[in-house]
Amino acid sequence: MTRFACPTWTVAPVNAAMISAVLDFADIHRELGGGRTLRRISHERAAKADMFLLLGRDVERVTDIGLVWNDREDQIVRVTDDAELRESRLTLWEDAFDLFETEETDEMAEPLRLCA
């Protein structure tokens, strides 16, 4: 790979601070049965100032994590990571900066890539 090539988009791995934040600040609780609860942090909760101070740049990533908590034994059963379910970050970046344009006004026209 040359130094001018676009780097691949990577997702930060789950760390102990993220798991601890989900345990402490989870605002989404879903009963799974058998004394187990799925705990998650919503996007609205992650956007608050205290979450930014606690997690820094990992604050967006914490919304992908889900913890299955056993209420009877007070322990984590499973950590789920839904980062792969999100759309490609490159696609979102291209949509944000509108890198595609068409010469025709037809909605079904083939998009052309903007070149510099």
mmCIF file of all heavy atoms in Angstrom, residues 11-38:
data_model
loop_
_atom_site.group_PDB
_atom_site.id
_atom_site.type_symbol
_atom_site.label_atom_id
_atom_site.label_comp_id
_atom_site.label_asym_id
_atom_site.label_seq_id
_atom_site.Cartn_x
_atom_site.Cartn_y
_atom_site.Cartn_z
ATOM 1 N N VAL A 11 -12.318 -0.425 13.582
ATOM 2 C CA VAL A 11 -13.141 -0.179 14.758
ATOM 3 C C VAL A 11 -12.311 -0.497 15.990
ATOM 4 O O VAL A 11 -11.659 -1.541 16.037
ATOM 5 C CB VAL A 11 -14.412 -1.053 14.712
ATOM 6 C CG1 VAL A 11 -15.242 -0.861 15.958
ATOM 7 C CG2 VAL A 11 -15.224 -0.746 13.474
ATOM 8 N N ALA A 12 -12.334 0.386 16.963
ATOM 9 C CA ALA A 12 -11.567 0.174 18.184
ATOM 10 C C ALA A 12 -12.111 -1.045 18.934
ATOM 11 O O ALA A 12 -13.318 -1.258 18.980
ATOM 12 C CB ALA A 12 -11.650 1.405 19.084
ATOM 13 N N PRO A 13 -11.234 -1.854 19.505
ATOM 14 C CA PRO A 13 -11.711 -3.017 20.266
ATOM 15 C C PRO A 13 -12.382 -2.586 21.571
ATOM 16 O O PRO A 13 -12.145 -1.492 22.077
ATOM 17 C CB PRO A 13 -10.426 -3.804 20.547
ATOM 18 C CG PRO A 13 -9.332 -2.822 20.433
ATOM 19 C CD PRO A 13 -9.777 -1.785 19.453
ATOM 20 N N VAL A 14 -13.220 -3.456 22.076
ATOM 21 C CA VAL A 14 -13.902 -3.194 23.344
ATOM 22 C C VAL A 14 -12.881 -3.260 24.468
ATOM 23 O O VAL A 14 -12.067 -4.181 24.528
ATOM 24 C CB VAL A 14 -15.019 -4.236 23.573
ATOM 25 C CG1 VAL A 14 -15.677 -4.025 24.915
ATOM 26 C CG2 VAL A 14 -16.033 -4.171 22.459
ATOM 27 N N ASN A 15 -12.915 -2.270 25.360
ATOM 28 C CA ASN A 15 -11.985 -2.281 26.486
ATOM 29 C C ASN A 15 -12.756 -2.251 27.808
ATOM 30 O O ASN A 15 -13.989 -2.145 27.829
ATOM 31 C CB ASN A 15 -10.981 -1.127 26.387
ATOM 32 C CG ASN A 15 -11.642 0.223 26.327
ATOM 33 O OD1 ASN A 15 -12.680 0.448 26.931
ATOM 34 N ND2 ASN A 15 -11.040 1.139 25.594
ATOM 35 N N ALA A 16 -12.042 -2.334 28.906
ATOM 36 C CA ALA A 16 -12.663 -2.414 30.230
ATOM 37 C C ALA A 16 -13.432 -1.146 30.581
ATOM 38 O O ALA A 16 -14.475 -1.222 31.243
ATOM 39 C CB ALA A 16 -11.603 -2.686 31.283
ATOM 40 N N ALA A 17 -12.960 0.011 30.128
ATOM 41 C CA ALA A 17 -13.658 1.271 30.428
ATOM 42 C C ALA A 17 -15.032 1.304 29.767
ATOM 43 O O ALA A 17 -16.006 1.794 30.352
ATOM 44 C CB ALA A 17 -12.814 2.452 29.974
ATOM 45 N N MET A 18 -15.134 0.768 28.558
ATOM 46 C CA MET A 18 -16.429 0.729 27.867
ATOM 47 C C MET A 18 -17.401 -0.206 28.580
ATOM 48 O O MET A 18 -18.573 0.130 28.760
ATOM 49 C CB MET A 18 -16.235 0.266 26.424
ATOM 50 C CG MET A 18 -15.514 1.230 25.534
ATOM 51 S SD MET A 18 -15.433 0.501 23.894
ATOM 52 C CE MET A 18 -14.080 1.400 23.202
ATOM 53 N N ILE A 19 -16.921 -1.367 28.980
ATOM 54 C CA ILE A 19 -17.780 -2.325 29.677
ATOM 55 C C ILE A 19 -18.235 -1.750 31.017
ATOM 56 O O ILE A 19 -19.401 -1.853 31.392
ATOM 57 C CB ILE A 19 -17.046 -3.665 29.865
ATOM 58 C CG1 ILE A 19 -16.818 -4.319 28.501
ATOM 59 C CG2 ILE A 19 -17.828 -4.598 30.780
ATOM 60 C CD1 ILE A 19 -15.948 -5.541 28.543
ATOM 61 N N SER A 20 -17.340 -1.106 31.715
ATOM 62 C CA SER A 20 -17.681 -0.488 32.995
ATOM 63 C C SER A 20 -18.701 0.634 32.809
ATOM 64 O O SER A 20 -19.616 0.788 33.619
ATOM 65 C CB SER A 20 -16.414 0.042 33.647
ATOM 66 O OG SER A 20 -16.678 0.549 34.905
ATOM 67 N N ALA A 21 -18.562 1.409 31.730
ATOM 68 C CA ALA A 21 -19.512 2.493 31.465
ATOM 69 C C ALA A 21 -20.900 1.939 31.172
ATOM 70 O O ALA A 21 -21.901 2.508 31.624
ATOM 71 C CB ALA A 21 -19.021 3.343 30.295
ATOM 72 N N VAL A 22 -20.972 0.833 30.442
ATOM 73 C CA VAL A 22 -22.277 0.232 30.164
ATOM 74 C C VAL A 22 -22.903 -0.277 31.456
ATOM 75 O O VAL A 22 -24.100 -0.101 31.687
ATOM 76 C CB VAL A 22 -22.157 -0.898 29.112
ATOM 77 C CG1 VAL A 22 -23.474 -1.633 28.957
ATOM 78 C CG2 VAL A 22 -21.715 -0.335 27.780
ATOM 79 N N LEU A 23 -22.117 -0.874 32.326
ATOM 80 C CA LEU A 23 -22.651 -1.351 33.606
ATOM 81 C C LEU A 23 -23.177 -0.198 34.463
ATOM 82 O O LEU A 23 -24.226 -0.309 35.094
ATOM 83 C CB LEU A 23 -21.576 -2.104 34.385
ATOM 84 C CG LEU A 23 -21.314 -3.538 33.976
ATOM 85 C CD1 LEU A 23 -20.144 -4.099 34.751
ATOM 86 C CD2 LEU A 23 -22.547 -4.381 34.176
ATOM 87 N N ASP A 24 -22.457 0.908 34.482
ATOM 88 C CA ASP A 24 -22.815 2.022 35.361
ATOM 89 C C ASP A 24 -23.888 2.943 34.786
ATOM 90 O O ASP A 24 -24.716 3.466 35.532
ATOM 91 C CB ASP A 24 -21.575 2.846 35.688
ATOM 92 C CG ASP A 24 -20.576 2.081 36.531
ATOM 93 O OD1 ASP A 24 -20.986 1.112 37.199
ATOM 94 O OD2 ASP A 24 -19.387 2.440 36.508
ATOM 95 N N PHE A 25 -23.888 3.176 33.472
ATOM 96 C CA PHE A 25 -24.729 4.217 32.894
ATOM 97 C C PHE A 25 -25.776 3.701 31.905
ATOM 98 O O PHE A 25 -26.381 4.502 31.198
ATOM 99 C CB PHE A 25 -23.853 5.252 32.180
ATOM 100 C CG PHE A 25 -22.887 5.936 33.089
ATOM 101 C CD1 PHE A 25 -21.540 5.642 33.035
ATOM 102 C CD2 PHE A 25 -23.318 6.868 34.017
ATOM 103 C CE1 PHE A 25 -20.640 6.271 33.872
ATOM 104 C CE2 PHE A 25 -22.435 7.490 34.857
ATOM 105 C CZ PHE A 25 -21.088 7.199 34.791
ATOM 106 N N ALA A 26 -25.999 2.414 31.838
ATOM 107 C CA ALA A 26 -26.970 1.861 30.882
ATOM 108 C C ALA A 26 -28.362 2.417 31.153
ATOM 109 O O ALA A 26 -28.833 2.420 32.284
ATOM 110 C CB ALA A 26 -26.987 0.343 30.966
ATOM 111 N N ASP A 27 -28.997 2.911 30.091
ATOM 112 C CA ASP A 27 -30.358 3.422 30.233
ATOM 113 C C ASP A 27 -31.372 2.585 29.446
ATOM 114 O O ASP A 27 -32.555 2.844 29.488
ATOM 115 C CB ASP A 27 -30.434 4.882 29.807
ATOM 116 C CG ASP A 27 -29.987 5.119 28.385
ATOM 117 O OD1 ASP A 27 -29.303 4.256 27.822
ATOM 118 O OD2 ASP A 27 -30.321 6.182 27.844
ATOM 119 N N ILE A 28 -30.887 1.580 28.741
ATOM 120 C CA ILE A 28 -31.770 0.646 28.041
ATOM 121 C C ILE A 28 -31.625 -0.718 28.713
ATOM 122 O O ILE A 28 -30.539 -1.279 28.765
ATOM 123 C CB ILE A 28 -31.404 0.537 26.550
ATOM 124 C CG1 ILE A 28 -31.538 1.899 25.860
ATOM 125 C CG2 ILE A 28 -32.273 -0.500 25.860
ATOM 126 C CD1 ILE A 28 -31.015 1.909 24.442
ATOM 127 N N HIS A 29 -32.730 -1.208 29.256
ATOM 128 C CA HIS A 29 -32.750 -2.510 29.928
ATOM 129 C C HIS A 29 -33.858 -3.351 29.299
ATOM 130 O O HIS A 29 -35.006 -2.921 29.259
ATOM 131 C CB HIS A 29 -33.029 -2.360 31.427
ATOM 132 C CG HIS A 29 -32.016 -1.530 32.144
ATOM 133 N ND1 HIS A 29 -30.826 -2.052 32.587
ATOM 134 C CD2 HIS A 29 -32.003 -0.217 32.480
ATOM 135 C CE1 HIS A 29 -30.127 -1.099 33.188
ATOM 136 N NE2 HIS A 29 -30.817 0.030 33.125
ATOM 137 N N ARG A 30 -33.498 -4.522 28.795
ATOM 138 C CA ARG A 30 -34.488 -5.417 28.205
ATOM 139 C C ARG A 30 -34.407 -6.762 28.911
ATOM 140 O O ARG A 30 -33.350 -7.388 28.954
ATOM 141 C CB ARG A 30 -34.222 -5.598 26.717
ATOM 142 C CG ARG A 30 -35.314 -6.410 26.062
ATOM 143 C CD ARG A 30 -35.214 -6.589 24.578
ATOM 144 N NE ARG A 30 -34.140 -5.881 23.937
ATOM 145 C CZ ARG A 30 -33.533 -6.312 22.835
ATOM 146 N NH1 ARG A 30 -33.901 -7.441 22.291
ATOM 147 N NH2 ARG A 30 -32.569 -5.621 22.288
ATOM 148 N N GLU A 31 -35.522 -7.193 29.459
ATOM 149 C CA GLU A 31 -35.581 -8.482 30.149
ATOM 150 C C GLU A 31 -35.485 -9.615 29.131
ATOM 151 O O GLU A 31 -36.215 -9.644 28.151
ATOM 152 C CB GLU A 31 -36.889 -8.605 30.927
ATOM 153 C CG GLU A 31 -37.014 -7.648 32.091
ATOM 154 C CD GLU A 31 -36.007 -7.934 33.189
ATOM 155 O OE1 GLU A 31 -35.694 -9.110 33.428
ATOM 156 O OE2 GLU A 31 -35.542 -6.958 33.791
ATOM 157 N N LEU A 32 -34.573 -10.545 29.355
ATOM 158 C CA LEU A 32 -34.386 -11.681 28.464
ATOM 159 C C LEU A 32 -34.968 -12.966 29.034
ATOM 160 O O LEU A 32 -35.029 -13.978 28.346
ATOM 161 C CB LEU A 32 -32.890 -11.884 28.173
ATOM 162 C CG LEU A 32 -32.182 -10.715 27.509
ATOM 163 C CD1 LEU A 32 -30.701 -11.028 27.365
ATOM 164 C CD2 LEU A 32 -32.798 -10.411 26.161
ATOM 165 N N GLY A 33 -35.388 -12.934 30.276
ATOM 166 C CA GLY A 33 -35.919 -14.128 30.926
ATOM 167 C C GLY A 33 -34.827 -14.885 31.658
ATOM 168 O O GLY A 33 -33.645 -14.741 31.362
ATOM 169 N N GLY A 34 -35.212 -15.674 32.614
ATOM 170 C CA GLY A 34 -34.258 -16.465 33.382
ATOM 171 C C GLY A 34 -33.375 -15.609 34.272
ATOM 172 O O GLY A 34 -32.252 -15.996 34.592
ATOM 173 N N GLY A 35 -33.846 -14.427 34.648
ATOM 174 C CA GLY A 35 -33.060 -13.545 35.508
ATOM 175 C C GLY A 35 -31.970 -12.788 34.776
ATOM 176 O O GLY A 35 -31.052 -12.266 35.396
ATOM 177 N N ARG A 36 -32.057 -12.724 33.453
ATOM 178 C CA ARG A 36 -31.036 -12.034 32.657
ATOM 179 C C ARG A 36 -31.606 -10.776 32.024
ATOM 180 O O ARG A 36 -32.767 -10.741 31.628
ATOM 181 C CB ARG A 36 -30.471 -12.950 31.582
ATOM 182 C CG ARG A 36 -29.744 -14.111 32.190
ATOM 183 C CD ARG A 36 -29.152 -15.002 31.171
ATOM 184 N NE ARG A 36 -28.420 -16.078 31.843
ATOM 185 C CZ ARG A 36 -27.750 -16.989 31.207
ATOM 186 N NH1 ARG A 36 -27.686 -16.988 29.899
ATOM 187 N NH2 ARG A 36 -27.112 -17.920 31.878
ATOM 188 N N THR A 37 -30.758 -9.754 31.922
ATOM 189 C CA THR A 37 -31.144 -8.462 31.369
ATOM 190 C C THR A 37 -30.087 -8.006 30.375
ATOM 191 O O THR A 37 -28.891 -8.121 30.649
ATOM 192 C CB THR A 37 -31.261 -7.406 32.495
ATOM 193 O OG1 THR A 37 -32.125 -7.897 33.502
ATOM 194 C CG2 THR A 37 -31.798 -6.101 31.966
ATOM 195 N N LEU A 38 -30.539 -7.489 29.241
ATOM 196 C CA LEU A 38 -29.627 -6.884 28.276
ATOM 197 C C LEU A 38 -29.522 -5.402 28.597
ATOM 198 O O LEU A 38 -30.529 -4.704 28.681
ATOM 199 C CB LEU A 38 -30.138 -7.065 26.847
ATOM 200 C CG LEU A 38 -29.301 -6.399 25.759
ATOM 201 C CD1 LEU A 38 -27.934 -7.065 25.646
ATOM 202 C CD2 LEU A 38 -30.028 -6.430 24.438
#
